Amino acid sequence: MRSEEAKSLLKKNWGIDGQISSLPSERDINFKISGKANYVLKIYPKVDSTLKIRLNLQNKVLKFLEEKKINTSPFVVPTKSKKLLINPSKGSIARLLTFHDGAAWGNKSEHSGEEIEQLGRLIATVDKNLNQLKISKEERKSLNAPFIWNMLQAESLLSWSSKISDSNSRKIVEATLSNFRKNILPRLKKMPMQVIHNDGNDYNIIENDEKLVLIDFGDMIYAPKIVGAAVAAAYVGLKSDDPVKQISQFIRGYHSVYPLSLEEISILIELVKVRLASSVANAALQRGVNPDNDYLSISQNDVPKCLEAIDKFDSNFALFRLRNAIGLEANPNSKPVRDYLLSIKPANLLEKSFSDLKQVYINWSFDNPEIPRSTQAIEDLMAKTGAEVTIGYYCENRNVYQGEAFNPAAASARTFHLGVDVGMPAGTPIYAPLDGVIEIFNNNSTHLDYGPVVILRHKTDKGVPFWTLYGHLSIDSMPDWKIGKEIKAGGLIGRMGKEEENVGWPPHTHFQLLTDLCGMGIDIYGVAPKDEIALWRGISLNPNLVLGIESGTDAHAKISPASIRSDRRVVISQNLSLNFKNPINIVSGSGAYLFDEKGKSYLDLVNNVAHVGHSHPRVVAAAASQMSLLNTNTRYLHQSIVEYGKAITSSMPDPLSVIFFVNSGSEANDLAIRLARAHTKSKGVVALRHGYHGHTQAVVEISPYKFLGKGGQGAPAHVAVAELPDLFRGKYTGKGATEKYLSNLKKSISSLKQPISAFFAESIVSTAGQIVLPPGYLSAAYKMVRAAGGLCVSDEVQIGMGRVGEKFWGFELHDVVPDIVTLGKPLGNGHPLAAVVTTPEVADSFNNGMEYFNTFGGNPVSAAIGQAVLEVVYDQRLQLNAKNMGKYLRDGVSSLAKDHSIIADVRGSGLFIGVEMMLDKKTPATNEVAELMEFALNKGVLLSCDGPDNNVLKIKPPLIITKSDVDHLLNVFSDWLGKK
Ligand code: PMP
């Protein structure tokens, strides 16, 4: 079809004009239409019934993904008469798709690990959603039709692989496809199957700002899920010297969204090779048929090169990278090796055991400005300290390596030391700690390499192999080395070399424990790339498993925030969220401030756990002092638990006099449920809408914030929800609203299918958006609950201990005395300490013969910390500071509100403040609040938000904040408002 025909087709059916140009394509005829919006007109000249089904299915998929708001493109544009497909002539079909602007992934020569992971997440998200798509038998059949890009049919490519002109390429393609047919396909066929996109190639990914979009659903097939991952993975390393590294980064992203099994991972590299081999074979065939089609050759410069690089790559090392990518320890042999070494006592490396030698650690890290690098400097250090041996750390980030491979500025710079260095005078003999056989040795004589180095091979009692490496030995050690020579534990290996012979290092032995040589032989990394530390920790284990230096050898050098974030995606469950678009890496805290790894400070207005300020010296001292003296449990007499317990109960009104110590707010509320059940002999609970009481099963069941929120299953049978008495934007507002909320509570109590045991409420409902209960509500509610036979529980986990300023406990704002009070966050200033306070009567009902024992609750260290925190609150008059600073802050925000209607309500008490932001009476300013939080972050102020619409700023800083801290916040707030 010519452009003019396409143009008139477009006008007639879609009513669209625009500039028209033809686009390259492998199979169809494509035109780009540029105008107010851009489109692609696709013409399929020869359509059979299968293609027709496929095209309809594509439309269905695009619609399905569009509705789910997945980053895919295009969208199908209906004709004026609402058709998605039309027949321009008999046997041909046309459809119009939106065109996504942006550059193709393949146009950029380099991508960061984070970007590659992002791509993995995109492909996984698409395929995970496609797995939920219902398809008919007929559609499924169309997805299984003969198709050169269906990997399940890849063996058929062997019939024309002879057309590949480059003989090396041809050999690799044929070997890959034969291996696939014989060994991989039978395994692949047993793996979970679904509809997959099947074409995440580097020109089907469009980069737009920070967003990635997947386009082109023309190659969808029904195949094992791992094929979808492998197809996209095949293209991510095309331009790299180390494609397997990038494939692993991609797989990490994929797995973090759509988990892959070990079985799937273990054939992935072969599948990647099959895809690349298919690409090489297809290009050879197509080039024969159609030598002028540029599109066919787009990636053909890189593909054979990449296939060759992957083919050559050590298969164990590739698997280690993939295992690490999905969160497993890199080498599966590491665990048996570690287990074995922990069950034996190796012989001494030196003449004496380390415990008989006075040691000094040497610090060669970037943190040390005065590295003792020369032989003389080390000798001086030993003389000064009286040390007989120096120890250099494992996993230290070292500032001593030079040369191209060690360029410390690069993300993948090799600076993390994998051995332990043992330093003594030149000539010191080194002995084998374990029976072994010399596997390989050499004189690595390049400046700053190892000099004479030898690797011994060992095995565990179960036959699992592992290796030890000894670097920087003397030249005269070498004549005794022979490959295959056995050395018994305690046998001499060699002697430490002099600086001249060990190529520039003070005399020492680099001792390394390896679970694999990763195909690198004697050049196995002794220093790991700093962006692959988790990987190398799982291959080159801490040598101290053999050495047995009691004071330890692991430096745990800091890894980059990018690596922490990436490792976190697979090691920590994904439903633990992170704050901010670019999460920050906090390494220290002091007072009301937190500091990231670069030393940038952040005023912390979020953390009501650091009640008396981060790292408060009195709290730290109390913890350290008690920890160094004793920590046990409540089964022994100990003064501090009684003294501290009494101090807490004394801060509450009578008759609240019995305390239980637990470890978290959730545990406190969980115990409160048990106490209430024991006392009332019933189970019903009423909780306030949007309220949260913790994360254990029992307390999620009484937390409407969770059971009515995302992923929630609705209220359990024993729980009723009472409307939140929010006079600003709740169900009832205005005159008489409080009474309406009370009658709603009454209804909730009577709606319970079993009698009420407890009513749970905070006095300022935090997760609901800092909602201050209206005057009179709580006292009337307590009366009502008690009349129905229930107990009243005040959840003080967020707001207790002076935070609300006017009073010491939140419930005291309402002039009520609860039956049970639960305490948490502030008590331990970050140490896991929480408590339940109740009356002797309720405690007695609970004491029914079943022992209450809590391993950690009420231990002497926790009690000492709790006591210190409480005393700081008293001694520094922090309740008063909360009252004054809270008022100053609220007044400041209220005065900003005069000129900025987006600030709709300023509420709270003391330093527990909510600022509700609205665009108008009905529209919560959700996006604006998120924007403000990011803005404040950049200005060094941490804020959080909550409420059902996430439009309430929550301000709940450590109680020690000063006027200038508040001014800082007000300035930032005002700057942001000024920019609006
Ligand atoms: N109750 C309330 C009111 C809370 O806000 C929280 C925690 N945010 C909890 C209980 C649970 O405390 P924890 O996370 O210590 O288990």
Side-chain angles (χ1 to χ4, degrees):
M1 182 180 284
R2 285 173 300 123
S3 300
E4 299 87 78
E5 289 172 73
K7 209 170 161 104
S8 71
L9 186 72
L10 198 64
K11 180 83 185 156
K12 186 166 142 225
N13 292 283
W14 284 275
I16 290 176
D17 282 317
Q19 274 240 319
I20 202 151
S21 56
S22 77
L23 285 173
S25 165
E26 188 186 16
R27 296 183 292 271
D28 333 314
I29 303 170
N30 292 337
F31 293 101
K32 180 175 175 190
I33 295 94
S34 319
K36 263 194 242 127
N38 299 335
Y39 302 95
V40 181
L41 177 66
K42 290 181 86 78
I43 318 278
Y44 305 84
K46 273 190 234 136
V47 177
D48 56 18
S49 60
T50 307
L51 180 58
K52 193 158 178 211
I53 296 166
R54 285 180 65 102
L55 289 174
N56 275 316
L57 177 60
Q58 273 182 49
N59 287 348
K60 171 169 147 182
V61 164
L62 294 173
K63 192 108 204 94
F64 177 77
L65 295 173
E66 184 183 349
E67 276 161 14
K68 293 188 159 237
K69 299 199 169 60
I70 311 297
N71 279 356
T72 51
S73 193
F75 305 132
V76 195
V77 185
T79 61
K80 288 190 279 187
S81 53
K82 306 258 175 306
K83 282 202 196 133
L84 298 180
L85 299 179
I86 58 163
N87 301 99
S89 60
K90 200 157 177 286
S92 79
I93 283 187
R95 59 183 186 145
L96 187 68
L97 305 172
T98 54
F99 181 89
H100 204 95
D101 281 317
W105 176 278
N107 288 342
K108 206 163 119 185
S109 61
E110 246 179 88
H111 286 92
S112 66
E114 176 59 30
E115 288 168 332
I116 297 171
E117 276 191 36
Q118 190 189 351
L119 176 59
R121 293 197 294 275
L122 172 65
I123 304 292
T125 306
V126 171
D127 281 357
K128 189 175 185 173
N129 278 283
L130 287 181
N131 191 32
Q132 290 167 13
L133 182 81
K134 299 252 174 316
I135 54 167
S136 67
K137 261 198 198 139
E138 210 182 26
E139 286 168 332
R140 165 104 165 251
K141 209 170 133 211
S142 79
L143 294 172
N144 291 335
F147 181 37
I148 50 168
W149 294 110
N150 184 338
M151 199 182 286
L152 292 171
Q153 304 163 16
E155 54 187 310
S156 65
L157 302 177
L158 273 171
S159 59
W160 72 71
S161 57
S162 57
K163 296 196 189 313
I164 301 168
S165 50
D166 179 84
S167 67
N168 189 36
S169 244
R170 189 182 338 117
K171 247 182 24 216
I172 300 175
V173 168
E174 287 176 349
T176 300
L177 294 175
S178 309
N179 180 48
F180 174 71
R181 178 167 59 190
K182 192 158 154 243
N183 301 315
I184 306 295
L185 191 57
R187 285 167 71 185
L188 185 60
K189 282 184 173 161
K190 293 190 196 126
M191 294 187 183
M193 309 257 271
Q194 62 163 79
V195 179
I196 57 170
H197 174 272
N198 192 40
D199 197 16
N201 79 59
D202 47 347
Y203 286 87
N204 278 344
I205 318 293
I206 305 298
E207 297 189 77
N208 206 336
D209 296 328
E210 282 170 18
K211 244 168 91 181
L212 295 182
V213 177
L214 180 63
I215 62 169
D216 193 349
F217 284 69
D219 283 8
M220 283 188 302
I221 54 171
Y222 192 85
K225 159 190 174 193
I226 188 65
V227 170
V231 166
Y235 298 89
V236 298
L238 278 188
K239 295 189 170 68
S240 164
D241 296 339
D242 189 355
V244 173
K245 180 171 180 178
Q246 310 211 322
I247 289 169
S248 310
Q249 289 165 333
F250 172 88
I251 288 299
R252 168 156 291 183
Y254 187 102
H255 176 81
S256 68
V257 169
Y258 200 16
L260 294 166
S261 69
L262 192 52
E263 174 65 359
E264 288 171 316
I265 285 300
S266 54
I267 60 163
L268 181 101
I269 291 289
E270 280 308 315
L271 300 185
V272 164
K273 282 167 63 187
V274 171
R275 175 66 181 205
L276 295 171
S278 307
S279 175
V280 175
N282 276 322
L285 179 74
Q286 303 279 342
R287 236 184 254 122
V289 177
N290 192 355
D292 302 329
N293 188 334
D294 292 343
Y295 182 75
L296 296 170
S297 314
I298 281 182
S299 48
Q300 280 313 312
N301 298 331
D302 300 320
V303 173
K305 217 175 81 215
C306 184
L307 175 60
E308 193 183 329
I310 297 174
D311 187 60
K312 268 209 290 223
F313 198 84
D314 183 72
S315 58
N316 278 2
F317 190 31
L319 181 64
F320 300 163
R321 272 188 161 153
L322 291 171
R323 283 177 53 93
N324 181 63
I326 66 165
L328 296 171
E329 186 167 36
N331 187 348
N333 282 351
S334 289
K335 181 174 160 51
V337 169
R338 189 185 307 108
D339 290 348
Y340 169 69
L341 290 172
L342 289 172
S343 72
I344 59 160
K345 187 170 184 338
N348 294 334
L349 180 82
L350 302 168
E351 233 146 47
K352 292 188 198 165
S353 93
F354 282 98
S355 46
D356 294 332
L357 290 164
K358 188 159 169 26
Q359 301 150 18
V360 62
Y361 286 86
I362 54 171
N363 178 350
W364 276 4
S365 76
F366 283 86
D367 305 335
N368 185 10
E370 285 161 21
I371 289 177
R373 173 65 185 77
S374 66
T375 304
Q376 188 60 50
I378 300 268
E379 279 172 6
D380 290 349
L381 179 71
M382 291 176 84
K384 200 170 91 194
T385 54
E388 296 158 273
V389 58
T390 64
I391 311 286
Y393 289 101
Y394 169 71
C395 278
E396 179 175 65
N397 187 17
R398 287 191 163 180
N399 192 15
V400 292
Y401 302 110
Q402 285 156 27
E404 211 178 302
F406 301 110
N407 167 22
S412 56
R414 292 211 287 121
T415 53
F416 267 66
H417 191 232
L418 290 174
V420 162
D421 287 337
V422 176
M424 286 182 94
T428 301
I430 296 292
Y431 302 99
L434 304 151
D435 292 349
V437 172
I438 294 186
E439 168 122 350
I440 188 167
F441 66 87
N442 193 35
N443 184 0
N444 284 9
S445 57
T446 314
H447 182 57
L448 296 185
D449 202 322
Y450 281 133
V453 51
V454 59
I455 295 179
L456 301 192
R457 180 191 176 95
H458 313 274
K459 56 179 193 284
T460 69
D461 50 350
K462 305 258 162 38
V464 178
F466 62 101
W467 292 261
T468 51
L469 177 149
Y470 310 77
H472 309 295
L473 298 180
S474 64
I475 304 255
D476 66 7
S477 307
M478 296 190 69
D480 283 343
W481 299 344
K482 302 236 158 14
I483 288 174
K485 178 180 166 185
E486 273 184 48
I487 302 186
K488 288 276 168 216
L492 183 73
I493 294 177
R495 293 172 189 279
M496 286 187 196
K498 293 196 226 61
E499 185 161 341
E500 309 81 80
E501 57 189 342
N502 81 30
V503 284
W505 298 97
H508 75 285
T509 292
H510 169 108
F511 175 76
Q512 198 171 335
L513 170 60
L514 289 147
T515 58
D516 203 285
L517 299 184
C518 301
M520 299 184 198
I522 200 77
D523 292 322
I524 180 76
Y525 285 179
V527 188
K530 64 184 180 191
D531 60 349
E532 292 195 290
I533 299 312
L535 168 78
W536 280 95
R537 277 184 176 276
I539 300 171
S540 186
L541 306 183
N542 187 340
N544 210 25
L545 283 165
V546 174
L547 298 178
I549 299 167
E550 286 187 12
S551 43
T553 54
D554 195 331
H556 291 286
K558 301 266 178 299
I559 59 173
S560 70
S563 295
I564 298 173
R565 194 175 176 195
S566 168
D567 287 345
R568 185 182 150 122
R569 285 204 180 98
V570 289
V571 177
I572 308 290
S573 168
Q574 287 290 289
N575 53 0
L576 276 77
S577 69
L578 281 163
N579 285 349
F580 306 116
K581 272 195 212 133
N582 295 309
I584 49 177
N585 180 33
I586 294 300
V587 297
S588 66
S590 173
Y593 286 82
L594 292 172
F595 302 88
D596 70 13
E597 79 287 353
K598 294 201 182 93
K600 177 170 175 182
S601 69
Y602 301 89
L603 172 62
D604 183 358
L605 300 179
V606 177
N607 200 331
N608 56 340
V609 174
H611 199 61
V612 298
H614 292 279
S615 317
H616 194 289
R618 274 180 71 184
V619 180
V620 173
S625 137
Q626 185 58 47
M627 194 77 186
S628 61
L629 193 64
L630 170 77
N631 201 15
T632 55
N633 58 51
T634 49
R635 284 196 175 123
Y636 305 97
L637 287 178
H638 199 275
Q639 176 180 342
S640 63
I641 157 177
V642 188
E643 222 165 70
Y644 173 55
K646 186 71 184 271
I648 290 287
T649 58
S650 301
S651 72
M652 291 193 185
D654 302 343
L656 292 164
S657 57
V658 181
I659 189 162
F660 294 82
F661 286 111
V662 293
N663 310 286
S664 69
S666 303
E667 218 188 309
N669 283 323
D670 195 298
L671 179 59
I673 295 174
R674 291 185 64 196
L675 293 175
R677 284 186 184 180
H679 191 70
T680 61
K681 309 270 182 293
S682 54
K683 289 189 174 170
V685 169
V686 174
L688 295 179
R689 188 176 295 280
H690 308 307
Y692 174 66
H693 301 289
H695 61 76
T696 68
Q697 182 62 41
V699 291
V700 163
E701 287 179 357
I702 63 160
S703 297
Y705 182 65
K706 292 287 173 194
F707 65 66
L708 297 179
K710 265 193 201 162
Q713 308 281 312
H718 66 289
V719 177
V721 179
E723 284 307 327
L724 176 78
D726 171 4
L727 297 190
F728 181 67
R729 218 158 61 88
K731 184 163 183 187
Y732 312 116
T733 54
K735 222 168 143 243
T738 304
E739 287 67 32
K740 287 184 192 153
Y741 283 117
L742 282 164
S743 57
N744 174 275
L745 173 64
K746 193 163 198 163
K747 263 201 230 140
S748 301
I749 296 172
S750 49
S751 76
L752 281 168
K753 295 182 192 73
Q754 46 200 311
I756 185 166
S757 68
F759 167 60
F760 275 76
E762 293 175 277
S763 305
I764 303 177
V765 188
S766 171
T767 44
Q770 313 288 77
I771 302 295
V772 184
L773 299 183
Y777 175 83
L778 211 54
S779 55
Y782 275 23
K783 274 194 203 118
M784 206 183 275
V785 169
R786 284 172 178 149
L791 297 184
C792 299
V793 182
S794 179
D795 182 333
E796 294 277 335
V797 170
Q798 290 264 0
I799 60 174
M801 259 179 83
R803 174 161 297 278
V804 295
E806 297 292 335
K807 300 284 181 182
F808 199 70
W809 300 107
F811 64 80
E812 293 177 294
L813 295 170
H814 297 273
D815 236 358
V816 293
V817 180
D819 303 295
I820 301 173
V821 185
T822 57
L823 315 173
K825 295 184 193 286
L827 296 198
N829 211 52
H831 177 84
L833 168 60
V836 181
V837 177
T838 189
T839 64
E841 220 187 318
V842 173
D844 187 54
S845 304
F846 184 60
N847 182 20
N848 62 0
M850 181 193 286
E851 188 201 9
Y852 178 75
F853 177 65
N854 190 319
T855 303
F856 302 119
N859 68 70
V861 170
S862 297
I865 290 172
Q867 185 73 51
V869 176
L870 184 64
E871 284 176 15
V872 172
V873 172
Y874 289 167
D875 296 345
Q876 292 187 208
R877 297 292 182 278
L878 292 183
Q879 181 184 335
L880 185 61
N881 196 54
K883 180 171 149 182
N884 294 338
M885 289 304 109
K887 178 164 182 337
Y888 183 60
L889 200 159
R890 286 195 308 279
D891 287 350
V893 178
S894 299
S895 97
L896 291 174
K898 286 189 195 126
D899 296 324
H900 300 279
S901 61
I902 191 168
I903 302 176
D905 191 34
V906 185
R907 56 187 175 240
S909 182
L911 283 171
F912 202 67
I913 297 169
V915 179
E916 180 141 12
M917 315 262 277
M918 300 289 291
L919 294 179
D920 54 48
K921 273 216 149 59
K922 290 228 162 75
T923 323
T926 307
N927 294 338
E928 289 70 15
V929 167
E931 240 177 59
L932 168 58
M933 281 164 48
E934 293 286 340
F935 180 85
L937 174 73
N938 282 328
K939 302 273 176 191
V941 176
L942 301 181
L943 288 166
S944 62
C945 72
D946 219 327
D949 295 305
N950 274 314
N951 67 325
V952 182
L953 276 186
K954 289 214 284 194
I955 304 176
K956 47 190 176 71
L959 299 192
I960 49 151
I961 61 161
T962 61
K963 221 160 156 249
S964 77
D965 295 331
V966 176
D967 287 336
H968 184 25
L969 165 71
L970 294 172
N971 287 334
V972 168
F973 207 160
S974 161
D975 283 356
W976 178 78
L977 290 164
K979 285 194 178 4
K980 288 258 92 199

